[in-house]
Amino acid sequence: MELTLAPPLAHVGDAPLKLGPHRHDHIEETFLVQSGRLRFLLGEAVFDLNAGDFVRVPPGVRHGLANTGDAPVRLLVSFVPGGFEELFLTYRSDQEPPPPPNGFIEAARRDFASEFEDD
């Protein structure tokens, strides 16, 4: 799946667009940064990724990501086994009417054994 995270200035306030700390019991994820700069959480470690950097997140490992730069971050993301990517289509923010605010998280918890930490 291709995913673009807009820079913080594109959002209300100074908070970067992010996917806060979470984990998936049965899904392995990979992230390839195509462009931009991405702050990444893996377990307890936090590091910055640039274009060409790649991260693998095994099932059950805590992770999160945020665009902290001034340009969009373009990522190529995979989910094994597949299916989780469908949530990004179902709960896209550019729909009319917009999806329910917590629909993505509720579906991820229910259908994909995912846990999300409160920020």
Side-chain angles (χ1 to χ4, degrees), residues 40-100:
F40 203 91
L41 167 73
L42 185 64
E44 296 300 322
V46 176
F47 48 94
D48 291 321
L49 301 175
N50 296 295
D53 290 336
F54 178 86
V55 174
R56 175 183 167 266
V57 181
V61 173
R62 179 179 183 254
H63 60 287
L65 51 146
N67 180 351
T68 58
D70 57 1
V73 174
R74 288 183 34 246
L75 302 164
L76 188 60
V77 183
S78 72
F79 305 96
V80 177
F84 191 79
E85 66 280 358
E86 294 296 325
L87 294 181
F88 288 87
L89 295 173
T90 301
Y91 296 98
R92 285 186 359 227
S93 61
D94 61 348
Q95 300 178 65
E96 278 301 322

Side-chain angles (χ1 to χ4, degrees), residues 14 18 30 35 39 41 44 82-83:
D14 293 329
K18 63 184 178 177
T30 63
S35 66
R39 176 127 324 134
L41 167 73
E44 296 300 322

